[in-house]
Each structure stands twice: as structure tokens, then as C-alpha cells.
């Protein structure tokens, strides 16, 4: 196949994956904001808003995982590799609405944010090399 065409397809797939990751990161940031408020007694509305953001983040991350897999396939066509573990970026649950559960959820949100930031950096680096 034509290398330039394959390279362009890889760039497009990478940009799509990057967009999905950034969208997920934005949702995680929103959930973390509500999470802090929840820790300090935000109440039912805040807990619901936090769960809404977490659910949105999960959806975004599912899309990002799919986009990262597509990007990886396209990179193989140009003899490049993307080493990102697309396992569970976000494993968060809220067992009960109390301080300890809220702190645990906040910690997991922070961990997910770090992992997403790492994935964003790797995708950006791959795109730089492609360009």
C-alpha cells in the first residue's frame, strides 16, 4: 500500500483517539470536582452529579479504548507501535454515601486521570512522529 496514505490514515485515527481521551479526561475532572464537594458534605444532589460525570467518563473511555485500538492497527500499517494498556481506565464505584467511600472514589478518579494523561502523552508523541 501507499505509505503516505497509510500514514494519513494513522494520523486521522490518532487524532480521533486523542479527542476521545481528552473528552474522557474532561469528564473525570468534572467528577473529581463534584467528588471533592461530596467529601465535604455536598449532599444528594452532588452525589448524583458526581455519578452522572462518572457514567459519562465511562462512556467516553469505552469510545477511547475503541479509538486507541483502531489507532494501534493503523500504526502497525506504518511499522509503528503504540504501547498503551487499554484495560480498565476507570474502575470506580460508590458503595455508600459516606466520607470513606467518597475518599476512595476520589482516589480512583485521580488514578484514572493519571492513566488517561499518560495515554494522551503517548498518542501525542506518536502523532508527532507521524507528522
Amino acid at each position: 500500500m501507499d505509505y503516505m496514505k497509510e500514514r494519513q490514515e494513522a494520523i486521522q485515527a490518532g487524532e480521533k483517539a486523542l479527542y476521545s481521551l481528552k473528552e474522557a479526561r474532561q469528564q473525570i475532572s468534572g467528577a473529581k470536582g463534584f467528588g471533592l464537594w461530596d467529601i465535604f458534605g455536598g449532599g444528594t444532589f452532588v452525589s448524583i452529579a458526581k455519578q452522572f460525570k462518572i457514567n459519562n467518563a465511562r462512556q467516553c473511555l469505552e469510545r477511547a479504548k475503541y479509538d486507541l485500538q483502531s489507532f494501534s492497527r493503523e500504526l502497525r500499517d506504518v511499522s509503528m507501535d503504540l504501547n498503551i494498556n487499554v484495560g480498565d481506565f476507570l474502575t470506580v464505584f460508590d458503595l455508600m454515601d459516606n466520607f470513606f467511600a467518597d475518599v476512595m472514589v476520589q482516589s480512583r478518579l485521580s488514578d484514572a486521570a493519571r492513566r488517561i494523561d499518560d495515554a494522551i502523552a503517548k498518542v501525542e508523541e506518536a502523532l508527532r512522529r507521524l507528522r
Side-chain angles (χ1 to χ4, degrees):
M1 284 240 147
D2 180 5
Y3 177 80
M4 294 304 285
K5 179 182 176 215
E6 294 295 337
R7 192 175 130 254
Q8 188 58 39
E9 288 174 357
I11 289 170
Q12 289 172 344
E15 288 172 348
K16 188 174 180 183
L18 186 60
Y19 177 83
S20 296
L21 286 166
K22 287 182 176 183
E23 189 177 5
R25 182 62 171 91
Q26 184 177 356
Q27 293 298 318
I28 294 282
S29 292
K32 284 178 63 181
F34 282 112
L36 282 175
W37 196 4
D38 201 19
I39 287 171
F40 297 108
T44 303
F45 169 75
V46 172
S47 291
I48 291 169
K50 177 180 72 175
Q51 282 304 127
F52 179 76
K53 288 287 190 180
I54 289 170
N55 288 335
N56 285 348
R58 275 194 185 102
Q59 291 173 357
C60 291
L61 286 169
E62 285 303 314
R63 190 170 35 254
K65 284 196 280 187
Y66 175 81
D67 291 343
L68 284 169
Q69 290 167 344
S70 295
F71 186 36
S72 290
R73 281 191 302 276
E74 294 297 337
L75 284 176
R76 283 192 294 273
D77 290 344
V78 293
S79 301
M80 286 178 66
D81 188 26
L82 183 67
N83 188 17
I84 297 176
N85 180 1
V86 293
D88 288 332
F89 276 104
L90 183 62
T91 52
V92 174
F93 55 90
D94 221 341
L95 294 174
M96 56 191 76
D97 195 17
N98 67 45
F99 176 80
F100 298 107
D102 292 341
V103 169
M104 182 179 64
V105 168
Q106 195 70 7
S107 173
R108 290 184 180 181
L109 288 170
S110 293
D111 180 56
R114 278 190 300 278
R115 293 174 69 196
I116 292 168
D117 289 342
D118 288 344
I120 288 170
K122 287 179 180 180
V123 170
E124 288 175 338
E125 175 58 27
L127 284 170
R128 273 192 291 280
R129 290 187 354 220
L130 281 168
R131 292 183 176 126

